[in-house]
Amino acid sequence: MLNIHWIDVAIVIISVVFTLGAGFYFARRQKSSDQYFSGSKTIPAWAIGISIFATLISSVTFLAYPAAAYKSNWILLVQGLMVPVVLVGLIWVIVPLFRKVIRLSTYEYFERRFGVFARMYSSVAFILTHFSKMGTVLYLVSLALATLTGLDVTSYILMLSVVIILLTLLGGIEAVIWMDVIQGFLLIGGGLLCAGILLFNYEGGAGEMLREAVTIKKIDFGPYNFSFTELTFWVLVVNGIFYALQKYGTDQTIVQRYLAAKNDKDAKKAAYIGVLASVPVWALFMLIGSLLFVFYNSGGAVLPDRMKADQVFTYFIGTELPVGAVGLVLAALIAAAISSLDSDMNCLAAIGVEDFYQRFKPSCTDKDRLFVGRLLVLFSGIAMSVVALLYASWSGEGVLGVVFELYAIFSAGIVGIFLLGLFSRRANKQGLYVGLAVCVAFTAYAVLTTTKIDGQVILNLGHYNFPQHKYMLGVYSHLIVLVVGYLASFFFKSEKATEELTIYGYFKLKEKK
């Protein structure tokens, strides 16, 4: 338990009250479901771009990235470094495709290309992935606040849940985007402040501190050996490529931002802003973790006994930052959580309304859609709290690694579906279903033969256990759907997909221009 000055407490309270105020301010403008989920389409590209950035940068970045670098090095950053590489290659076709062929749900494209089951499958995968992520984010920020104040984690989980639910429930996507803008700048400022204090208060100077971090390989991306059986640079490169495709090509939280832009040009610009802002900030928080290791292992400061790596950054904030700065950094930490979670909740509600409710009640009015959307925001917020409470009871050690593993499991071939639909007119729904069946069987086999309970794998097949790192599940599942789905399509007769649903439609449109 650390003592926080009343000034810092006041700064945090003001930031939370301001967030709630934004929800109430935008509430009066939410008169339709389109307004609630897509906004007025008058939001500038730069604001949507910062919102994308703030959605990608959460408390996982603020706390788990420094913890990961403190324990190991920057290897987990490799996944994020693949995002701009993939984005440059595909964003020019993804944005106009979605803005043209879908109304709100990303997975409407999957239905138009491969039928209802493909839409339901990908929607459920999105829901599972984001529920696990939301609980993680909420747990991490609550853990940080509990470490600083001594109040238990459960209390913070419940209090923050109320704030985030109210903001999203009342204000819709407009409140989410504009609060993301403010919270995004807060997060950058908080990270820069902490890095600056670490660098310039070091006895040997900033240069010496950085040299020491490099020397002891805290600023490093290794191991570099070409192996997929352990966590290596190459595992994260391959995993990162598919993560980027999944995030920018199939993730509702990002695609919904494309739809909120005025036009295709603004949507593309927003995507670039989001990525170009995210990568340096991911690196900044990895740097903070490396500097913390040098700081606490150079004799200048001492950590309490048995302190977890996930708590070191929080301890530094509470003991090394001056009055006022603590409050600003904590406000940034809370902002990081809110900016990610409000986006997830709004998008989960959009998926629930568009992919499920409207399908089972096609006669519903727009008023019904808006009511159910808000009801689903409330439900997703409660479910998020439950997952966070489970993390708290489990103790949450190594949260970032758990998040990556859950992504690998729950993503379950979604990128394979997307790439198959985008690049092949010949692929059909029957072939896809074969690919998905093989993918699910493979994922079950890999998870069961690698997951340990009380030191024993659930299904021990000896030499036939899945031999590679769990992160590779998020690669092989997509490749299986892509390859098996394409080859199996040749065994079923069907008409080729219309060009507008594939990359060839984009090229044809460009030729006409």
Side-chain angles (χ1 to χ4, degrees):
M1 178 176 173
L2 305 172
N3 293 319
I4 300 182
H5 198 278
W6 68 266
I7 293 177
D8 299 309
V9 175
I11 292 171
V12 171
I13 292 173
I14 289 169
S15 71
V16 171
V17 170
F18 182 79
T19 298
L20 286 173
F24 284 104
Y25 173 79
F26 284 101
R28 55 195 175 90
R29 300 172 62 169
Q30 309 308 309
K31 304 299 183 184
S32 70
S33 61
D34 283 342
Q35 182 79 23
Y36 191 71
F37 292 123
S38 300
S40 58
K41 296 191 185 295
T42 59
I43 302 171
W46 66 266
I48 296 174
I50 295 297
S51 177
I52 290 174
F53 153 75
T55 298
L56 293 172
I57 305 290
S58 65
S59 298
V60 172
T61 299
F62 208 107
L63 293 174
Y65 270 56
Y70 183 90
K71 285 188 290 187
S72 177
N73 58 18
W74 292 23
I75 189 171
L76 294 182
L77 178 62
V78 175
Q79 186 191 66
L81 296 178
M82 293 298 104
V83 174
V85 176
V86 172
L87 186 69
V88 169
L90 274 183
I91 201 67
W92 47 271
V93 66
I94 290 175
V95 165
L97 172 70
F98 281 129
R99 286 178 60 87
K100 183 178 181 181
V101 304
I102 69 172
R103 200 188 79 83
L104 177 61
S105 169
T106 307
Y107 312 108
E108 181 183 341
Y109 169 74
F110 288 68
E111 179 178 6
R112 294 189 62 182
R113 186 64 185 83
F114 292 117
V116 175
F117 179 76
R119 182 174 186 170
M120 297 296 102
Y121 179 88
S122 50
S123 294
V124 170
F126 170 82
I127 290 168
L128 290 174
T129 303
H130 280 264
F131 270 140
S132 62
K133 173 218 167 187
M134 288 162 64
T136 305
V137 170
L138 183 58
Y139 164 73
L140 281 171
V141 69
S142 300
L143 175 65
L145 294 170
T147 301
L148 282 166
T149 62
L151 193 63
D152 63 286
V153 175
T154 300
S155 299
Y156 281 112
I157 288 173
L158 297 176
M159 287 189 291
L160 286 173
S161 294
V162 171
V163 173
I164 297 164
I165 289 170
L166 283 175
L167 170 67
T168 316
L169 188 71
L170 296 171
I173 195 67
E174 281 188 288
V176 168
I177 289 176
W178 283 112
M179 283 310 301
D180 283 355
V181 171
I182 297 169
Q183 290 157 350
F185 285 116
L186 257 179
L187 190 146
I188 294 171
L192 289 173
L193 176 64
C194 291
I197 289 174
L198 275 165
L199 283 169
F200 297 105
N201 281 352
Y202 188 67
E203 189 175 321
E208 179 59 32
M209 194 176 203
L210 290 170
R211 278 192 294 274
E212 178 65 17
V214 172
T215 301
I216 61 176
K217 294 192 174 181
K218 282 295 171 182
I219 300 179
D220 189 73
F221 298 99
Y224 300 99
N225 53 306
F226 195 80
S227 169
F228 292 152
T229 60
E230 57 183 333
L231 188 61
T232 64
F233 174 83
W234 298 107
V235 166
L236 269 300
V237 166
V238 179
N239 184 273
I241 290 170
F242 284 89
Y243 165 79
L245 287 168
Q246 185 264 342
K247 202 67 183 175
Y248 278 84
T250 71
D251 195 294
Q252 181 70 19
T253 57
I254 303 299
V255 173
Q256 202 164 320
R257 300 302 197 281
Y258 302 156
L259 304 179
K262 298 176 187 176
N263 50 49
D264 290 0
K265 183 180 178 182
D266 275 9
K268 291 176 188 176
K269 188 186 297 182
Y272 286 122
I273 291 171
V275 169
L276 294 177
S278 298
V279 174
V281 174
W282 283 328
L284 171 65
F285 283 93
M286 281 289 183
L287 175 64
I288 288 172
S290 300
L291 298 179
L292 284 170
F293 186 87
V294 176
F295 181 76
Y296 284 114
N297 287 272
S298 62
V302 179
L303 289 172
D305 291 338
R306 296 190 300 275
M307 175 162 280
K308 298 175 184 177
D310 290 337
Q311 297 174 305
V312 172
F313 187 26
T314 309
Y315 181 78
F316 170 82
I317 292 169
T319 56
E320 301 294 335
L321 298 190
V323 173
V326 175
L328 289 173
V329 172
L330 289 181
L333 172 60
I334 294 170
I338 292 173
S339 61
S340 177
L341 296 174
D342 58 10
S343 297
D344 286 341
M345 288 166 60
N346 184 273
C347 292
L348 283 167
I351 291 297
V353 169
E354 194 76 8
D355 289 352
F356 296 95
Y357 175 70
Q358 189 166 278
R359 177 174 300 280
F360 296 114
K361 191 179 179 183
S363 61
C364 63
T365 64
D366 188 71
K367 186 177 179 181
D368 293 334
R369 285 166 50 88
L370 181 59
F371 173 77
V372 171
R374 284 184 159 141
L375 197 62
L376 289 173
V377 165
L378 177 61
F379 171 77
S380 64
I382 293 171
M384 167 188 72
S385 305
V386 171
V387 174
L389 291 170
L390 288 174
Y391 270 120
S393 64
W394 173 58
S395 82
E397 183 69 23
V399 165
L400 189 56
V402 173
V403 172
F404 281 15
E405 287 183 12
L406 290 175
Y407 154 73
I409 294 168
F410 290 147
S411 59
I414 303 303
V415 173
I417 303 175
F418 178 65
L419 294 178
L420 192 62
L422 187 65
F423 288 102
S424 172
R425 292 184 62 200
R426 179 67 183 80
N428 53 48
K429 66 180 181 180
Q430 295 92 339
L432 172 67
Y433 296 165
V434 173
L436 286 175
V438 176
C439 169
V440 170
F442 167 79
T443 302
Y445 147 74
V447 170
L448 290 174
T449 58
T450 55
T451 302
K452 292 184 177 181
I453 297 178
D454 296 328
Q456 299 292 324
V457 293
I458 298 174
L459 177 63
N460 192 347
L461 300 178
H463 293 299
Y464 297 102
N465 287 348
F466 181 66
Q468 299 187 359
H469 196 278
K470 274 190 178 181
Y471 290 5
M472 293 304 295
L473 284 176
V475 175
Y476 294 139
S477 62
H478 303 311
L479 289 176
I480 287 170
V481 171
L482 179 62
V483 175
V484 176
Y486 178 74
L487 294 176
S489 294
F490 286 94
F491 293 93
F492 303 94
K493 290 184 178 181
S494 65
E495 294 184 3
K496 288 186 176 181
T498 57
E499 287 186 338
E500 73 165 2
L501 295 177
T502 68
I503 197 171
Y504 307 107
Y506 175 83
F507 286 128
K508 192 171 183 179
L509 186 63
K510 293 291 285 185
E511 287 175 5
K512 288 181 180 180
K513 291 182 180 179

